[in-house]
Amino acid sequence: MAEMVLRKSPSFYDVYERKPGAIKYQTHYCPGCGHGILHKLIAEAMDELGIRDRTILISPVGCSVFAYYYFRCGNVQVAHGRAPAVATGIKRALPHSIVISYQGDGDLAAIGGNEILHAANRGERITVFFVNNAIYGMTGGQMAPTTLVGQKTTTTPFGRRAEMEGPPLRVAELLASLESPVYIERVALTTPKNIARARKAVRKALSVQMQDLGFSLVEVLSACPSGWKMTPVDSIRWIDEVMTRYFPLGVFRDRTAEAKPMPLPKISYDLDSLLEKLEIPSGEAEGVIASPVPHPRYANPRIKIAGFGGQGILLLGQALAEAGMTAGYRVSWLPSYGPEMRGGTANCHVILSDSRIGSPLVSRPSVLIAMNRPSLDRFEPEVESGGLILYDSSLIDRPVTRRDVEVLAIPATSMADELGNTRAANMVILGSYVAYTGVVEREHLTHILPKVIKRKQLIDLNERAIARGYEYALMHRTAAST
Amino acid sequence: MAKQLIKGNEAVVKGAILAGCRAFFGYPITPASEIAEAAAYYFPQVGGVFLQAESEIASIYMLYGAASAGIRAMTASSSPGISLKMEGISYLAGAELPCVIVDIVRGGPGLGNIAPSQGDYHQIVKGGGHGEYKLITLAPNCAQEMCDLTMLAFELADKYRNPAVVMADGFIGQMMEPVEFPQPVSSFPDKPWALRGEDADQFRLITSIDLEPEGLERHVLHLQEKYAQAEREEVRFEEYQTEDAEVILVGYGIVSRLLHSTVDEARAKGLRVGLLRPITLWPFPSRRITELATRVSAFMVVELSNGQMVEDVRLAVAGKVPVWFYGRMGGVVPSVEEILRVLRQQIEV
């Protein structure tokens, strides 16, 4: 006669070494608690499906905080409610692993409501076992989001009131209203028949993940005799007779037949063409083109550029910084801050320097480029004595009043209009500034233009705008010096 | 290698990928959003993960998950977002999970504003989360260092099995400067503790819980040993003109650049002033400050805060010489002229 050997699942540790104290062969769960049954169903499913070696189980906060005492697999213990987020991180990092988020009702439906909602909605390829025992067990029997109306807990000593604490949350139904989940079922750990159904559900939920189909969740109605202050037998009866009336058993979502496998991409450490993918210029430093020697009064400029949003203020500054870098200067570019970034005015600070740049903030500019009247009004007083102001005289209807600064008025917008595009005014001014001061060479501008003008078909227009500004400034520089 | 004109926030992302980081979990917030945006663009292209989480809280726990799996992973945010992450940061430190967190600090408290600030010093350096932990904290002051210190943060995080923070401000994050990117890192330390989705995982546990008081104390003492080692080996700072200085300015991040200019201006006016710039805010260059305190007549600490790092400077100086403080808040950044004026007033008093 064959001998029948009853032994525990190899997906449990033989000895629960992580469990403190002398008792290493029993769980810490109370008599009649559902966790032990569910643990067993999960472990046996891991055996049957052959996934123990690649399973990572997340122990939550709650009575199952110590699930890692028992499961012989990868174990992670996490904060209250955050298991679905942790599961997401693990699964994305290790797409081949089977990730189980094991959570209670306080954990999943209260503090972790957001995490479970979004993990389900993203269709994370994880499996959630949600233990609903209508109470906070670990902390001593307080109200859970799933506590029934009228049920007494230590924080609803007179019974839960729907009008004050809200009605119990039906998680399976709630998540089944989302598009992504593949499989959601509610089961109960009560009669042998119900437990057999739970066993099937556990296995199915895990196989959904094995096939990369998407998100699966099994809500498990589970007894808490200690929290409910009932005997284990009464507790089982209470689930079947009371709890299931509000939390009906059944399948709320099953897309396993039509869902297509959606395996996650594996993490790659391929260094091949990594620099190109990161758009990092390869090779040696570019040779510095014909180092310019500007007149000392224009050397090491600290530039403020200001105008309306949409005039290309930031781009003008960026082009100048790029050209300066190509010319061998130390450079910095700093955009303006605050609500100014959202429409209205825009300004930026650019420094080109032969030596290390301290503050990138230009509070006393040696050069002001003003492209509208408010900018000139606001920043004219800041320019240092002996500095230079360039402004768009087609938009600014007043002359510069300072007598201790050099001024170049450029009808930049009109000139850009003549070229057929108002928005090239910034490049007209850029050309003028470079020609007037010689701070960089014209070929520096030609060189950097493709870097700052992303739309190739606009490069020619911008080059012509720079040329117009350049010629204009040369003409006026000559006029001023004679 | 050739230099690239690039925003500090973008340099963080490229540096992270060069350091072998392959997972980024983010949530949008000004002025750190460019980091998430650049990550969303580059990470999937290099075989990495980018995921925009439903909250700052979820993003820090996704990081916890990825770090448990032993891969280099990161998140980035700004002050109020970092406050939300604090729970997870404490768990990461407790579970000894290496990862990198970037904080582009903005004005507070509360919603505050989006202008540059250093008001997060206490929350990052002293621990905004619960329990006895420390965060390795690096404070870049230029775009180049946004890359370099992000890469270093990954090395240090792995070396100490501890979260490392790159703490900068909106100026450093949003300004463009030339950056020379290094070659990608190709060898990584072993992580025999990490979960890999393989059979050996059965001997591994990622956790921060220990109900036995003696057990938890042992764990916390173990953490303190790591921190003591970091204090011996990882202090980084920069000095400028301190050799003959009578007054030493102390500042980090964007402020250190203002102070660099202040030293030049002060020297031009005949004031013997130097600069000490902590690069690691934790471990803090306390020993160096204690040494300097024996031969200078005063320190002046400048911060974009109500005076947070100044506490550490005062602890190191231990009353030997005066420690003056000048702080601007709410996103106001002082000018060099302003700092110089305050310095001269202090010297004259």
Side-chain angles (χ1 to χ4, degrees), chain A residues 188-231:
Chain A
L189 301 177
T190 53
T191 59
K193 192 176 152 201
N194 276 341
I195 292 174
R197 199 171 289 163
R199 175 189 301 275
K200 261 178 72 184
V202 166
R203 209 177 320 168
K204 183 161 179 173
L206 286 168
S207 73
V208 164
Q209 185 177 175
M210 290 170 69
Q211 297 167 69
D212 288 315
L213 297 182
F215 181 86
S216 55
L217 177 140
V218 181
E219 177 172 341
V220 182
L221 302 186
S222 172
C224 181
S226 304
W228 297 347
K229 305 196 184 347
M230 292 182 199
T231 66

Side-chain angles (χ1 to χ4, degrees), chain B:
Chain B
M1 289 242 285
K3 289 191 173 186
Q4 183 170 34
L5 188 71
I6 190 170
K7 280 189 176 185
N9 279 344
E10 208 176 318
V12 162
V13 171
K14 294 190 182 187
I17 291 171
L18 291 173
C21 176
R22 288 295 181 275
F24 186 105
F25 303 101
Y27 188 82
I29 182 168
T30 308
S33 294
E34 290 97 344
I35 301 181
E37 288 165 358
Y41 183 78
Y42 290 113
F43 270 73
Q45 293 189 60
V46 301
V49 174
F50 170 83
L51 188 53
Q52 180 171 328
E54 61 271 27
S55 69
E56 299 284 5
I57 296 168
S59 70
I60 197 77
Y61 284 102
M62 290 172 183
L63 184 57
Y64 185 105
S68 300
I71 68 168
R72 287 190 166 176
M74 71 182 297
T75 184
S77 188
S78 177
S79 311
I82 296 289
S83 301
L84 277 165
K85 290 183 193 294
M86 275 301 165
E87 176 200 74
I89 291 174
S90 171
Y91 276 75
L92 284 159
E96 299 193 79
L97 291 173
C99 61
V100 171
I101 300 155
V102 180
D103 181 8
I104 307 298
V105 184
R106 58 185 255 183
L111 203 47
N113 64 26
I114 57 174
S117 166
Q118 296 181 328
D120 280 12
Y121 185 92
H122 276 162
Q123 119 158 313
I124 298 291
V125 173
K126 305 293 178 181
H130 58 285
E132 301 92 336
Y133 73 90
K134 295 278 188 191
L135 299 174
I136 296 164
T137 308
L138 306 171
N141 78 350
C142 59
Q144 181 70 53
E145 285 191 349
M146 288 291 262
C147 165
D148 296 348
L149 294 186
T150 299
M151 294 183 76
L152 176 64
F154 280 102
E155 296 299 326
L156 295 179
D158 278 351
K159 179 175 174 185
Y160 291 94
R161 276 193 69 179
N162 203 69
V165 178
V166 176
M167 182 173 150
D169 58 75
F171 270 6
I172 302 298
Q174 301 202 320
M175 70 188 283
M176 282 180 125
E177 283 182 320
V179 173
E180 190 175 348
F181 288 99
Q183 287 297 325
V185 175
S186 53
S187 72
F188 305 101
D190 269 353
K191 296 182 180 175
W193 49 266
L195 301 174
R196 303 289 183 188
E198 57 193 39
D199 199 30
D201 283 359
Q202 62 176 295
F203 306 110
R204 296 169 190 164
L205 168 66
I206 305 294
T207 185
S208 63
I209 188 174
D210 192 334
L211 285 189
E212 300 290 317
E214 290 78 12
L216 184 57
E217 187 184 50
R218 253 195 319 279
H219 176 62
V220 173
L221 285 172
H222 157 69
L223 297 181
Q224 306 314 306
E225 274 171 31
K226 289 197 313 192
Y227 302 153
Q229 185 194 345
E231 282 173 344
R232 285 191 304 275
E233 297 178 16
E234 310 304 342
V235 173
R236 286 164 171 82
F237 56 89
E238 182 189 349
E239 285 182 43
Y240 179 59
Q241 306 264 36
T242 52
E243 300 80 12
D244 63 340
E246 288 174 355
V247 177
I248 290 192
L249 305 176
V250 188
Y252 66 94
I254 184 67
V255 171
S256 68
R257 297 180 56 147
L258 303 172
L259 296 183
H260 197 276
S261 300
T262 307
V263 168
D264 289 343
E265 304 254 328
R267 293 250 164 196
K269 292 181 166 61
L271 300 172
R272 292 218 306 243
V273 176
L275 164 66
L276 181 118
R277 170 206 163 208
I279 296 172
T280 48
L281 298 181
W282 189 86
F284 195 68
S286 306
R287 193 175 304 163
R288 181 59 184 154
I289 290 173
T290 305
E291 283 166 16
L292 290 168
T294 61
R295 62 171 172 82
V296 302
S297 51
F299 289 84
M300 185 165 104
V301 178
V302 180
E303 293 179 67
L304 304 184
S305 82
N306 60 339
Q308 303 192 10
M309 181 182 70
V310 68
E311 293 177 2
D312 285 328
V313 175
R314 288 195 170 124
L315 279 172
V317 170
K320 289 193 192 74
V321 293
V323 178
W324 306 319
F325 174 71
Y326 187 62
R328 296 299 304 264
M329 283 151 280
V332 180
V333 179
S335 66
V336 171
E337 298 76 32
E338 180 182 345
I339 297 169
L340 191 58
R341 196 165 58 239
V342 174
L343 174 65
R344 297 184 78 151
Q345 282 164 3
Q346 291 285 10
I347 290 173
E348 280 158 26
V349 166

